[in-house]
Amino acid sequence: MRIARWPLLFGAGALALAACAPAPVLPPHLVPTAETDGATASPQASEATSTQALDTPTPQPTVVEPRQCSLTDTLTPEQQVGQLFMLGVDTSGLSDAAKQAVLDGQIGSVVLLSNSTAGSVAISSLTSQVALLGDDAAAPILVAVDQEGGQVQRLKGQGFSTIPNAQEQGKMSADELRAAATGWGLELADAGVHYNLAPVADVVPADKLSSNAPIGALRRNFGTDAHSVGSSVAAFVEGMTDAGIATSLKHFPGLGEVTANTDFDVAIDDETTAHPDDLASFVAGLDAGASSVMISSAIYEQIDPDVQGVFSSTIITDILRGDLGFEGVVISDDLGAARSVADISAGDRATRFIEAGGDLLINADPSHMAEMTDAVVEKAQADAPFAEQIRDAANRVLLLKEDVGLVDCG
């Protein structure tokens, strides 16, 4: 999907371009002829020209309505809410608690957690069990996984390639990486997985590779400059898309400058801004057609210092949606088991993420599922604008499901 980004990226540059604009094309009756070339225009001609210029309507930008899924408005409010959650399930099998949480909350997506070396056949059996849970649901269940490579490759064993870490992937040419990602994506598709929560678009400065706990220390970054990272991000996205697998850029607006890992602590970034240079690697991924963007749980002091990114309307609605024009799915980092949100009630985590503009919330802890869905349903019943946000978010999730062949939006 190509997106409009002019408010953020062009600004003053647009004035420079305007200064170099070609001269306006004159109407045929005012184009100088051989007889009149160089002659002084008559007062009547000047008046006609002036009047015509005033009467010419100003061109208006074309407004493109967001895509709509015909299924969205057939869902009950509770079913729409269920589409906004992605529950973590263990790769070793579906627990009774996970099954019940999916059924009770009419949950629309799951993510496979923990590493597995059991191979493709075992994972196919698991994803088939998940699919059965959605047989009577409003829409089939979407299955996601973190299959970046290196230390973050959930699925291994027969049928899955050993994927190099992102720093090694970053040394490949764009064509090589795209072809490799297509192969890795086809392996996921064969195992019943629809959605890869990758690639990492974070840029880790060279002097922070060892101190950047969540990304650099684990070699999850493609490189140390936005240009090289953006090139690899685009190639990875395109390769997965070629295989029919949805993708997610993470962790917007970037985790390359922090030291703490948000899985275990609150991370604070005092460097990243909303300047195009800081977001360039994400823009490259959006231009390549990324299906979704995962929002970081870090605090960004230069952007919205009083709230974590995942709860920030400035980051999600103003920057990602507004400035970058992104219309796809906005997904959270884990808001279930992550220590970075432990001081916030489970219900508030859910409502605050959606209020900020989020669409799909990852919850790695089934025990929080009922509290989260109940809180969202209750708020929607009392708050019409919030209910409309839920409807729009469910629509975007269903469109993503259509893109991977799970539903037909008509």
Side-chain angles (χ1 to χ4, degrees), residues 172-187:
M172 299 180 184
S173 71
D175 288 344
E176 289 172 335
L177 181 53
R178 180 171 181 168
T182 300
W184 303 331
L186 290 172
E187 292 171 350

Side-chain angles (χ1 to χ4, degrees), residues 116-129 156-160 187 190-192:
S116 170
T117 59
S120 183
V121 172
I123 297 302
S124 294
S125 176
L126 173 59
T127 57
S128 295
Q129 294 175 51
K156 299 180 181 180
Q158 188 172 2
F160 295 113
E187 292 171 350
D190 287 344

Side-chain angles (χ1 to χ4, degrees), residues 259-274:
T259 54
N261 189 327
T262 54
D263 286 340
F264 312 114
D265 202 353
V266 176
I268 297 176
D269 179 329
D270 59 4
E271 298 286 342
T272 300
T273 72

Side-chain angles (χ1 to χ4, degrees), residues 40-378:
T40 302
S42 68
Q44 291 83 358
S46 298
E47 182 179 349
T49 303
S50 175
T51 302
Q52 190 163 33
L54 289 174
D55 291 342
T56 302
T58 302
Q60 297 297 315
T62 301
V63 177
V64 179
E65 291 296 327
R67 289 169 60 201
Q68 296 297 319
C69 182
S70 59
L71 295 177
T72 304
D73 293 323
T74 69
L75 272 56
T76 67
E78 292 77 14
Q79 288 171 332
Q80 289 182 355
V81 169
Q83 293 301 307
L84 310 193
F85 289 90
M86 176 178 283
L87 180 67
V89 300
D90 198 282
T91 53
S92 63
L94 274 171
S95 68
D96 290 340
K99 289 180 184 178
Q100 201 60 49
V102 169
L103 294 173
D104 290 347
Q106 303 182 74
I107 304 306
S109 303
V110 302
V111 56
L112 306 182
L113 301 178
S114 76
N115 296 331
S116 170
T117 59
S120 183
V121 172
I123 297 302
S124 294
S125 176
L126 173 59
T127 57
S128 295
Q129 294 175 51
V130 170
L132 288 174
L133 291 178
D135 274 355
D136 297 323
I141 295 175
L142 182 75
V143 180
V145 72
D146 287 292
Q147 195 81 336
E148 300 171 17
Q151 295 188 53
V152 186
Q153 179 180 346
R154 296 299 183 204
L155 307 181
K156 299 180 181 180
Q158 188 172 2
F160 295 113
S161 300
T162 298
I163 304 175
N165 65 52
Q167 290 182 11
E168 292 300 317
Q169 293 177 40
K171 297 175 183 177
M172 299 180 184
S173 71
D175 288 344
E176 289 172 335
L177 181 53
R178 180 171 181 168
T182 300
W184 303 331
L186 290 172
E187 292 171 350
L188 293 177
D190 287 344
V193 176
H194 316 106
Y195 188 8
N196 190 1
L197 301 181
V200 170
D202 305 320
V203 178
V204 183
D207 62 352
K208 294 186 177 180
L209 285 173
S210 59
S211 62
N212 178 245
I215 310 299
L218 300 178
R219 300 184 177 182
R220 298 171 68 193
N221 58 304
F222 288 116
T224 57
D225 67 275
H227 176 75
S228 63
V229 171
S231 176
S232 297
V233 164
F236 191 99
V237 166
E238 290 165 350
M240 285 286 159
T241 303
D242 291 342
I245 298 296
T247 53
S248 188
L249 309 177
K250 58 188 186 186
H251 308 77
F252 190 84
L255 271 181
E257 297 282 358
V258 305
T259 54
N261 189 327
T262 54
D263 286 340
F264 312 114
D265 202 353
V266 176
I268 297 176
D269 179 329
D270 59 4
E271 298 286 342
T272 300
T273 72
H275 190 277
D277 289 347
D278 286 349
L279 305 177
S281 58
F282 288 93
V283 170
L286 296 180
D287 279 346
S291 314
S292 66
V293 176
M294 181 181 290
I295 307 299
S296 163
S297 295
I299 293 173
Y300 294 86
E301 293 189 336
Q302 298 293 324
I303 301 175
D304 193 352
D306 299 321
V307 64
Q308 289 168 273
V310 78
F311 304 129
S312 170
S313 61
T314 298
I315 288 173
I316 298 175
T317 300
D318 297 345
I319 298 174
L320 181 57
R321 294 276 191 223
D323 293 340
L324 301 189
F326 181 60
E327 296 177 354
V329 168
V330 171
I331 185 170
S332 75
D333 206 340
D334 174 45
L335 295 181
R339 292 291 298 275
S340 60
V341 294
D343 292 339
I344 303 169
S345 73
D348 283 349
R349 297 172 209 171
T351 57
R352 288 176 61 185
F353 173 64
I354 295 168
E355 277 185 303
D359 301 313
L360 187 54
L361 184 152
I362 296 178
N363 170 28
D365 185 346
S367 70
H368 291 317
M369 199 75 264
E371 181 180 348
M372 287 181 167
T373 55
D374 287 350
V376 174
V377 169
E378 182 178 346

